[in-house]
Amino acid sequence: MTQSAAETIAISSSGLAVTVSTLGAELQSIQDAAGNDLMWNGDPAVWSGRAPILFPIVGELAGGRCRVDGKDYALSRHGFARRRLFAIEARTPDAVTLRLVEDDESLAVYPFAFVLDITFSVAGSRLDVVAALTNPSDVPLPASFGYHPAFLWPLPGAGDRDGHAIRFDQPETAPIRRLDGHGLVVPEPRENPVVGDLLVLRDELFTDDALVFDQLASRTVTYGGNGGPSIRVEFPEMPDLGIWTKPGAGYVCIEPWQGHADPVGYDGEFAAKPGVVTVAPGETRLFAMGITVEATDPV
């Protein structure tokens, strides 16, 4: 789908003004009550994304290959949903639901029927995003799902980049994972840069791509700097978390995931891939993320 086919939808509450595109069901902007823009603007000279939806995979597949019942399908990084036009299923001043279903194009790379509804709703200073993945068929539906919102780094009024940090709601002591040059998860665990519950952001953390937390204790993180607004991200149903930027760029992505990239050398069925969940025929699985803008920094 081309960008010209997309519609931008505005929803608002007393504390937030939010826009969402029907292209990829991608969150475009969040403004707080003071009019501060909190999200990355998608500058294509740096990174054209803002908050892509990752479906039906998160990250990269080994060889770009999704194997289903012994047959290989070509499926590119993060899947196809972020480049597809979603239909408007429901809309009010403070909420919108966007829908994507399978078609000939998706079946050529991912041979499953699905209904993916993504609802954005605002109340006060909180944005809730809930993805509902329904299996309308009579065969199991394997999938991964992820969020990828990019917040400004530095945040407005929060000082320079060096003072920004992410605070986890629990101490994070387990090793993390890193990616190789092909975007695959390396087998050796890596040292966790979180000290207690605090990750102080610095560009050198991201010279080897994202930080991948696959043994995460927390389900809430709070991001901010020295003063100004901070952002709390909650992901109660999502077991994994990616944190990523291009070193020197003006954003940091806080990415709740169900699943992650293939491990190096993975050659099995898609349904058996680590992090993939299976939705039974006629069932629905929810993936939720809450974003709350707070007045104080987390440090």
Side-chain angles (χ1 to χ4, degrees), residues 114-173:
F114 65 88
V115 179
L116 179 61
D117 287 329
I118 302 182
T119 298
F120 300 82
S121 61
V122 288
S125 60
R126 181 182 173 98
L127 166 67
D128 281 293
V129 190
V130 180
L133 176 61
T134 300
N135 181 359
S137 75
D138 57 3
V139 298
L141 170 63
S144 281
F145 184 89
Y147 294 107
H148 200 310
F151 302 106
L152 288 176
W153 181 19
L155 287 167
D160 60 21
R161 286 167 58 88
D162 291 344
H164 282 61
I166 295 173
R167 188 175 293 280
F168 293 75
D169 72 358
Q170 302 290 329
E172 296 294 344
T173 60

Side-chain angles (χ1 to χ4, degrees), residues 40-52 148 150 244 246 251 253:
W40 170 244
N41 64 8
D43 180 357
V46 181
W47 181 57
S48 61
R50 298 174 188 241
H148 200 310
W244 172 76
K246 291 183 177 180
Y251 62 85
C253 294

Side-chain angles (χ1 to χ4, degrees), residues 220-283:
T220 301
V221 298
T222 304
Y223 161 62
N226 295 317
S230 62
I231 296 170
R232 187 171 77 245
V233 181
E234 301 170 57
F235 41 98
E237 292 90 9
M238 314 286 276
D240 303 321
L241 184 71
I243 300 176
W244 172 76
T245 190
K246 291 183 177 180
Y251 62 85
V252 62
C253 294
I254 299 173
E255 309 177 35
W257 297 338
Q258 173 61 65
H260 49 70
D262 273 3
V264 171
Y266 185 74
D267 194 35
E269 286 277 320
F270 177 66
K273 172 187 167 177
V276 167
V277 295
T278 299
V279 183
E283 298 294 322

Side-chain angles (χ1 to χ4, degrees), residues 2-295:
T2 62
Q3 186 70 38
S4 61
E7 179 180 347
T8 299
I9 300 164
I11 59 175
S12 62
S13 65
S14 59
L16 294 179
V18 170
T19 60
V20 180
S21 176
T22 56
L23 183 65
E26 185 171 11
L27 184 62
Q28 298 291 290
S29 65
I30 301 174
Q31 279 191 345
D32 66 13
N36 295 308
D37 289 310
L38 303 177
M39 290 194 64
W40 170 244
N41 64 8
D43 180 357
V46 181
W47 181 57
S48 61
R50 298 174 188 241
I53 294 294
L54 314 183
F55 174 83
I57 60 172
V58 173
E60 197 75 58
L61 298 178
R65 183 182 67 236
C66 172
R67 180 167 296 165
V68 178
D69 295 333
K71 181 178 179 180
D72 289 343
Y73 297 82
L75 194 53
S76 59
R77 178 179 288 204
H78 293 324
F80 53 77
R82 61 191 177 134
R83 307 201 187 281
R84 302 302 302 278
L85 195 66
F86 282 61
I88 300 172
E89 188 67 13
R91 182 176 182 177
T92 65
D94 60 2
V96 63
T97 298
L98 303 177
R99 172 171 288 185
L100 183 68
V101 301
E102 86 285 348
D103 58 15
D104 289 344
E105 185 177 345
S106 71
L107 289 169
V109 296
Y110 177 67
F112 298 99
F114 65 88
V115 179
L116 179 61
D117 287 329
I118 302 182
T119 298
F120 300 82
S121 61
V122 288
S125 60
R126 181 182 173 98
L127 166 67
D128 281 293
V129 190
V130 180
L133 176 61
T134 300
N135 181 359
S137 75
D138 57 3
V139 298
L141 170 63
S144 281
F145 184 89
Y147 294 107
H148 200 310
F151 302 106
L152 288 176
W153 181 19
L155 287 167
D160 60 21
R161 286 167 58 88
D162 291 344
H164 282 61
I166 295 173
R167 188 175 293 280
F168 293 75
D169 72 358
Q170 302 290 329
E172 296 294 344
T173 60
I176 66 168
R177 302 287 181 175
R178 298 306 298 257
L179 305 176
D180 71 0
H182 304 287
L184 303 179
V185 175
V186 299
E188 301 84 12
R190 299 295 175 86
E191 182 180 359
N192 190 334
V194 177
V195 178
D197 62 358
L198 192 67
L199 176 67
V200 177
L201 294 174
R202 56 190 192 276
D203 284 315
E204 55 265 32
L205 288 173
F206 305 102
T207 53
D208 293 327
D209 210 302
L211 309 177
V212 179
F213 294 82
D214 67 342
Q215 301 179 62
L216 194 66
S218 302
R219 290 297 180 269
T220 301
V221 298
T222 304
Y223 161 62
N226 295 317
S230 62
I231 296 170
R232 187 171 77 245
V233 181
E234 301 170 57
F235 41 98
E237 292 90 9
M238 314 286 276
D240 303 321
L241 184 71
I243 300 176
W244 172 76
T245 190
K246 291 183 177 180
Y251 62 85
V252 62
C253 294
I254 299 173
E255 309 177 35
W257 297 338
Q258 173 61 65
H260 49 70
D262 273 3
V264 171
Y266 185 74
D267 194 35
E269 286 277 320
F270 177 66
K273 172 187 167 177
V276 167
V277 295
T278 299
V279 183
E283 298 294 322
T284 296
R285 178 140 185 165
L286 302 180
F287 308 95
M289 174 178 67
I291 297 173
T292 303
V293 180
E294 301 181 319

